[in-house]
Amino acid sequence: MPKSANLYARIEPDLKEQAEAILNALGIPASNAITMFYKQIVLHNGIPFDLKIPNHPTDISRMTESQFNEELEKGYKNMQEGNTIPIKK
């Protein structure tokens, strides 16, 4: 079947550049990658990967006050013991 449909999408320029650099290294044109993604959507009858919010252990919006205080204490202890990384690194 000839390719005759167009797809227009607006994305962040940096994201586009990063993704295209990876696709170029793999030898896959962006249009082929998009076609592969669409084919996977059809095969899976939905998005072909999980869509969920990761449960990050230090997400303060999901912590109790005691958990938050515990994390602060851990950070303070690490600082006192010199277990830190300079900001320039």
Side-chain angles (χ1 to χ4, degrees):
M1 179 175 207
K3 296 180 182 181
S4 60
N6 292 319
L7 172 70
Y8 298 99
R10 298 181 65 80
I11 62 171
E12 297 171 15
D14 288 343
L15 176 61
K16 180 180 181 283
E17 287 178 25
Q18 290 173 17
E20 287 181 351
I22 293 167
L23 291 171
N24 285 336
L26 294 170
I28 301 171
S31 60
N32 288 16
I34 293 167
T35 299
M36 288 189 292
F37 178 60
Y38 270 50
K39 286 184 178 189
Q40 288 298 309
I41 291 171
V42 172
L43 287 170
H44 286 86
N45 198 29
I47 301 295
F49 47 82
D50 289 340
L51 295 174
K52 59 184 176 181
I53 298 170
N55 188 13
H56 194 277
T58 56
D59 180 356
I60 63 171
S61 68
R62 296 174 180 259
M63 289 181 175
T64 64
E65 185 176 348
S66 63
Q67 289 171 323
F68 178 71
N69 289 332
E70 185 179 318
E71 288 299 320
L72 285 176
E73 289 294 328
K74 285 181 195 175
Y76 184 68
K77 183 180 177 187
N78 281 332
M79 183 192 69
Q80 286 181 319
E81 294 174 353
N83 297 329
T84 60
I85 299 172
I87 194 165
K88 291 184 179 182
K89 287 189 178 180

